[in-house]
């Protein structure tokens, strides 16, 4: 158009697989050296459209929902230089194949720490104070006379909180829980982190001890996925009957939901709050959904307007930097 003479002779094609938040969209729209094509919908792009859309693209901005496998890379062709995913997780990317082809990858770690920690605290309080159940009772007429033991849950004051994985998110959670009057923080992981733990006087203990002594257990994701197999199904057996488990991460991918169901249904543990499930979405017929003492959220850890905007901005900047051969703000080491 009018400023066409200022544009480089050849525009780089960028394919965006979803309608993304405004800040990221604006950055891409302002890139004079790119021609941006977008699947303009809130719903995931059908695979056929995806394969069509990436053909000839130099850059791909995608989400967790898109499988970037060999077939898709073939469909994209030799132009493809950069894949930027608007996510922390990279399970959907065939990294070996991507590396082989010399394609750079950007992702969005760190920026969702605060939102995820807020959600974890919300989920803990919601679960321990039985809010969904209580709200339901108001609606269904179960709220009658005041009763001393009705709708009682467990409070944080003078409690022991165990955090599995004292990474960035684990620390952000502990920092937020401390003012509630928590008496003791325990944590487990691959190795002690004395510097980080000092802020909460958190004690490094084996996971089995954490399970046995904590009133609240929060399973969080440390940035570098550490040891697998720290929790096995004996984990629930070790826990107090009055303990509440909050799981916001896939980390330690070993406790199966059937075991969790048994533990909750038999009263082996008091309650659980989950923001991650296997699979996602969890089928509405899943047994866990029949339990009053299980609160399940649809993986909304990072779902604040601010965080999603920042994620989109970072994903856009990763993509553009990669295309221009510059250092990316957050590049995945392959
Ligand atoms: C947390 O949930 C994930 C996903 O369902 C599961 O793989 C993991 O084992 C769970 N961890 C614990 C300690 O329950």
């Amino acid at each position: 158009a009018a400023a066409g003479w200022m544009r480089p002779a050849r525009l780089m094609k960028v394919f965006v697989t979803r309608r993304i938040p405004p800040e990221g969209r604006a950055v891409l729209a302002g890139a004079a050296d790119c021609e941006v094509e977008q699947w303009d919908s809130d719903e995931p792009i059908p695979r056929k459209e995806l394969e069509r859309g990436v053909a000839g693209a130099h850059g791909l901005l995608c989400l967790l929902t898109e499988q970037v496998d060999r077939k898709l890379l073939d469909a994209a062709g030799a132009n493809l230089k950069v894949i930027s995913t608007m996510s922390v997780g990279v399970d959907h990317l065939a990294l070996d194949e991507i590396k082989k082809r010399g394609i750079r990858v950007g992702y969005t770690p760190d920026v969702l720490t605060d939102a995820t920690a807020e959600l974890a605290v919300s989920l803990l309080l919601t679960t321990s104070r039985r809010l969904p159940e209580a709200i339901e009772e108001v609606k269904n007429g179960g709220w009658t006379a005041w009763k001393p033991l009705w709708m009682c849950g467990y409070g944080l004051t003078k409690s022991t909180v165990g955090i599995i994985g004292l990474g960035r998110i684990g620390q952000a959670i502990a920092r937020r829980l401390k003012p509630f009057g928590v008496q003791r923080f325990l944590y487990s992981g691959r190795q002690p982190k004395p510097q980080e733990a000092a802020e909460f006087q958190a004690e490094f203990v084996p996971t089995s001890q954490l399970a046995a002594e904590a009133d609240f257990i929060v399973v969080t994701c440390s940035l570098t996925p550490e040891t697998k197999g720290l929790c096995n199904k004996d984990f629930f057996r070790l826990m107090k009957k009055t303990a509440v488990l909050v799981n916001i991460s896939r980390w330690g991918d070993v406790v199966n939901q059937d075991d969790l169901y048994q533990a909750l249904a038999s009263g082996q543990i008091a309650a659980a709050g989950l923001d991650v499930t296997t699979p996602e979405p969890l089928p509405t017929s899943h047994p866990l959904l029949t339990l009053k003492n299980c609160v399940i959220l649809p993986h909304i850890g990072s779902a604040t307007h601010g965080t999603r905007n920042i994620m989109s901005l970072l994903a856009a900047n990763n993509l553009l930097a990669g295309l221009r051969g510059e250092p990316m703000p957050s590049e995945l080491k392959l």
Side-chain angles (χ1 to χ4, degrees), residues 8-19:
R10 288 191 55 207
L11 294 178
M12 293 182 281
K13 178 182 167 181
V14 166
F15 189 69
V16 181
T17 62
R18 194 83 62 89
R19 198 177 286 158

Side-chain angles (χ1 to χ4, degrees), residues 74-91:
D74 285 342
N79 278 351
L80 191 63
K81 277 201 289 199
V82 188
I83 297 166
S84 171
T85 181
M86 195 183 123
S87 65
V88 184
V90 291
D91 292 347

Side-chain angles (χ1 to χ4, degrees), residues 86-300:
M86 195 183 123
S87 65
V88 184
V90 291
D91 292 347
H92 55 304
L93 308 179
L95 295 178
D96 287 345
E97 194 61 34
I98 288 168
K99 186 178 176 181
K100 231 189 280 171
R101 298 176 190 224
I103 296 168
R104 294 169 72 186
V105 174
Y107 69 136
T108 62
D110 306 345
V111 294
L112 31 73
T113 303
D114 289 344
T116 306
E118 283 175 12
L119 196 274
V121 172
S122 314
L123 183 55
L124 190 153
L125 293 170
T126 299
T127 307
S128 61
R129 295 301 299 271
R130 303 167 60 180
L131 298 192
E133 236 183 298
I135 292 166
E136 194 51 40
E137 294 290 346
V138 175
K139 291 183 182 165
N140 68 20
W143 180 18
T144 55
W146 189 89
K147 294 170 236 170
L149 288 175
W150 190 59
M151 279 296 136
C152 287
Y154 296 97
L156 280 160
T157 306
K158 294 199 161 59
S159 68
T160 296
V161 169
I163 296 186
I164 300 183
L166 195 64
R168 224 180 275 259
I169 292 175
Q171 292 164 50
I173 294 168
R175 194 167 297 129
R176 284 160 177 76
L177 288 179
K178 201 176 163 185
F180 282 92
V182 172
Q183 190 161 53
R184 252 179 112 200
F185 281 101
L186 309 176
Y187 72 103
S188 68
R190 187 156 54 177
Q191 67 212 12
K193 298 182 169 181
Q195 238 171 334
E196 291 85 345
E199 182 182 347
F200 324 103
Q201 284 108 44
E203 305 159 42
F204 183 71
V205 296
T207 302
S208 56
Q209 185 184 343
L210 183 148
E213 294 182 8
D215 301 302
F216 299 91
I217 296 177
V218 186
V219 185
T220 88
C221 189
S222 52
L223 251 188
T224 46
E226 295 178 321
T227 342
K228 280 198 163 193
L230 280 180
C231 308
N232 54 34
K233 67 178 174 182
D234 300 328
F235 184 78
F236 301 125
R237 224 166 292 150
L238 294 171
M239 282 174 64
K240 295 182 180 179
K241 272 184 132 74
T242 53
V244 174
L245 175 79
V246 170
N247 186 354
I248 58 159
S249 96
R250 268 162 232 297
W251 183 70
D253 207 6
V254 277
V255 175
N256 89 33
Q257 285 169 176
D258 301 337
D259 296 337
L260 178 61
Y261 175 84
Q262 287 308 328
L264 287 167
S266 66
Q268 201 169 47
I269 70 174
L274 316 174
D275 189 40
V276 290
T277 60
T278 315
E280 291 183 4
L282 194 67
T284 54
S285 61
H286 197 281
L288 277 178
L289 293 173
T290 64
L291 297 172
K292 285 189 170 171
N293 56 350
C294 188
V295 178
I296 299 182
L297 302 179
H299 205 152
I300 54 171

